[in-house]
Amino acid sequence: MAEPIPLNAWRGKLQIGQKGEKKTLFNLMQYMRNLPGLGTQIRHNELTGQVEWHGEPLTDADYVDIQTMIEHAGFAPSKTDIPAAVNRTALFNKYHPVRDYLDCLRWDGTKRLDRFLHILFGAPDTPYERAVGAKWMIGAVARIYQPGCKMDTMLVLEGPQGLKKSTALRLLFGASYFTEMVNELRDHKRFVEQITGKWVVEFAELSALRKADVELVKAIITMQVDKTRPSYGRNTVEYARQCVLAASVNPKAGQGYLTDSTGNRRFWPVACTAIDLDRLERKRDQLWAEAVTRFREGEQWWLTDDESRLAEREQLSRMQGDIWEDTIANAVFPHLTYTSAQILYDILKMAPERQDQRAKDRVAAIMADLGWTQAWAKERQNDGTRKSMRVWRIAE
């Protein structure tokens, strides 16, 4: 016959004084870890960074209830010790919901990841779509196992309204771990609060953002650690980024939505024509299982040089046209040279006080797109002298 398990054996470890149980933090921890309803019910969620009780974030009222339970069990703790004991107990029981989900998956060995954008989202079946689809998924896995790892790219799902691009992302990552970013770009504290506990963040309708906001999105994409001071907190806290970013866009025919050729490498645009939500739901676990396997085998989640060149062609095809381009193209002659100031003043008729660095950069981007290069040269001045200056000449 098996010996009965002494359920209250932990009480034998309590520190005892002349007047009974000592009012020590050690004794409080014994009650906290062993009383039914406490113990393993108090957990630290590594994705959200929150302490939970019975699966819900801990509230101020919960601290009162926890103290009442301990007092009812015969121990009178110091009220000031309760939060510290709760937090320490939670760390004994820390968990990560997404990591736990990924750890439980078993891949059946059938390769699906390379073509999932084609099969499930109706994207073209090309080396580019195969590369960005698989690497974005592997990168999402990497962010869970290596929070804060470099993942400075955003998948952009193109397609008409009603295609259910957002629904597909919510289904792929899980509704609890999906959020849509709305008007929080300029308040980083609120942005961090919104993405905390999420696995994917969608920027809806990327083409509708102002150019200044698009520039801010580029900066956000590159962040690996978010720094902010929590509400009612005294110190700045660093949150290693655990989410990946996506965007949806409904591009107008013949019009681009990317604005800066130097920063567009951060966007991986994919043209979607039909999304199979039912099949996506059935294959979701195997997609993630394959991504986990390939991550653990050391597969990289960034593009190779050859793949980057494929991506560059896709990005350039989504570039917005510049209204200055036609004016400049019709006014410059291949056998002549031009300075940026000449183009701004003589061709675009811009007053000198408006010729700032941004205007010069805009001219430089247009001239480069038209096939001109900039180099130092000695140019003859009106008084017959020669002066060194940077000029544009047609590339040979």
Side-chain angles (χ1 to χ4, degrees):
M1 182 176 178
E3 291 292 329
I5 300 174
L7 298 180
N8 289 323
W10 59 271
R11 289 183 178 271
K13 300 178 182 179
L14 294 173
Q15 296 173 339
I16 306 297
Q18 292 181 351
K19 297 182 180 180
E21 297 173 1
K22 294 182 178 181
K23 307 304 181 184
T24 61
L25 187 57
F26 175 86
N27 282 351
L28 173 57
M29 287 297 301
Q30 296 302 313
Y31 276 89
M32 190 76 69
R33 294 180 63 184
N34 291 284
L35 283 181
L38 299 180
T40 57
Q41 296 299 321
I42 298 176
R43 310 174 76 190
H44 175 80
N45 186 325
E46 292 184 284
L47 180 65
T48 65
Q50 293 179 316
V51 174
E52 298 174 350
W53 190 28
H54 297 292
E56 297 293 333
L58 205 66
T59 66
D60 290 341
D62 291 331
Y63 285 104
V64 176
D65 293 338
I66 289 172
Q67 181 171 347
T68 301
M69 290 176 64
I70 295 172
E71 290 175 349
H72 184 72
F75 186 77
S78 168
K79 182 179 179 180
T80 58
D81 287 341
I82 293 291
V86 167
N87 290 334
R88 191 66 189 90
T89 302
L91 289 176
F92 281 125
N93 305 311
K94 61 185 178 181
Y95 78 107
H96 195 297
V98 176
R99 192 181 302 146
D100 293 346
Y101 160 72
L102 295 177
D103 284 342
C104 290
L105 297 175
R106 295 295 178 266
W107 183 36
D108 62 11
T110 300
K111 281 206 162 190
R112 302 175 178 88
L113 211 54
D114 294 323
R115 302 183 69 229
F116 94 96
L117 286 176
H118 169 63
I119 295 173
L120 300 178
F121 287 76
D125 187 16
T126 70
Y128 164 74
E129 274 79 12
R130 292 189 179 198
V132 298
K135 291 179 184 297
W136 188 69
M137 292 284 284
I138 296 170
V141 169
R143 273 282 167 93
I144 295 300
Y145 286 105
Q146 299 175 8
C149 67
K150 188 174 182 180
M151 178 65 179
D152 59 355
T153 47
M154 169 188 282
L155 187 70
V156 182
L157 300 178
E158 302 173 345
Q161 290 183 352
L163 193 61
K164 298 187 176 180
K165 302 182 288 293
S166 297
T167 303
L169 289 172
R170 187 180 290 107
L171 185 61
L172 181 61
F173 285 83
S176 298
Y177 310 117
F178 165 91
T179 190
E180 183 178 302
M181 184 53 53
V182 180
N183 299 326
E184 305 292 359
L185 295 177
R186 298 186 178 279
D187 187 335
H188 193 66
K189 179 176 177 293
R190 293 182 64 185
F191 171 79
V192 173
E193 289 173 349
Q194 185 166 347
I195 71 172
T196 298
K198 304 305 178 184
W199 192 10
V200 65
V201 178
E202 181 199 9
F203 289 77
E205 202 48 55
L206 186 65
S207 60
L209 293 177
R210 296 177 299 173
K211 183 172 181 178
D213 287 335
V214 173
E215 295 303 313
L216 190 53
V217 169
K218 291 177 186 176
I220 288 173
I221 293 173
T222 65
M223 291 182 182
Q224 295 171 250
V225 176
D226 294 290
K227 298 180 180 180
T228 186
R229 191 176 71 178
S231 298
Y232 309 109
R234 295 181 178 181
N235 301 315
T236 298
V237 178
E238 295 186 353
Y239 299 95
R241 188 77 64 85
Q242 298 188 72
C243 62
V244 292
L245 306 181
S248 59
V249 62
N250 179 18
K252 297 180 181 179
Q255 295 185 19
Y257 57 88
L258 299 181
T259 59
D260 177 12
S261 58
T262 62
N264 287 339
R265 71 170 190 83
R266 309 198 186 286
F267 299 99
W268 290 350
V270 175
C272 305
T273 59
I275 297 178
D276 190 338
L277 294 177
D278 291 337
R279 193 172 184 182
L280 176 60
E281 185 173 16
R282 293 197 306 271
K283 301 299 181 183
R284 170 181 182 259
D285 288 350
Q286 281 303 309
L287 288 172
W288 287 121
E290 182 182 349
V292 170
T293 299
R294 292 168 67 168
F295 165 76
R296 288 175 174 163
E297 290 175 348
E299 184 168 337
Q300 69 180 47
W301 54 91
W302 52 93
L303 299 179
T304 65
D305 290 343
D306 289 341
E307 290 165 344
S308 294
R309 283 188 280 272
L310 295 177
E312 186 176 0
R313 287 201 290 267
E314 298 293 331
Q315 292 149 357
L316 286 174
S317 69
R318 273 80 168 183
M319 280 287 293
Q320 285 184 358
D322 193 312
I323 58 174
W324 287 2
E325 185 168 341
D326 288 342
T327 301
I328 293 174
N330 292 329
V332 294
F333 297 93
H335 60 283
L336 298 178
T337 60
Y338 302 87
T339 65
S340 293
Q342 285 177 313
I343 295 171
L344 288 168
Y345 187 78
D346 296 333
I347 296 176
L348 297 173
K349 310 301 181 184
M350 180 179 287
E353 61 270 16
R354 294 180 54 208
Q355 295 179 21
D356 56 15
Q357 188 59 48
R358 185 173 179 179
K360 293 176 183 177
D361 290 343
R362 189 172 167 186
V363 166
I366 293 171
M367 293 298 282
D369 287 343
L370 293 175
W372 292 67
T373 59
Q374 196 175 33
W376 286 98
K378 286 187 175 294
E379 295 293 307
R380 186 180 297 276
Q381 306 300 298
N382 293 332
D383 60 3
T385 61
R386 288 183 174 274
K387 181 180 179 181
S388 292
M389 57 183 62
R390 288 175 64 83
V391 298
W392 290 98
R393 54 166 49 95
I394 196 70
E396 297 181 357

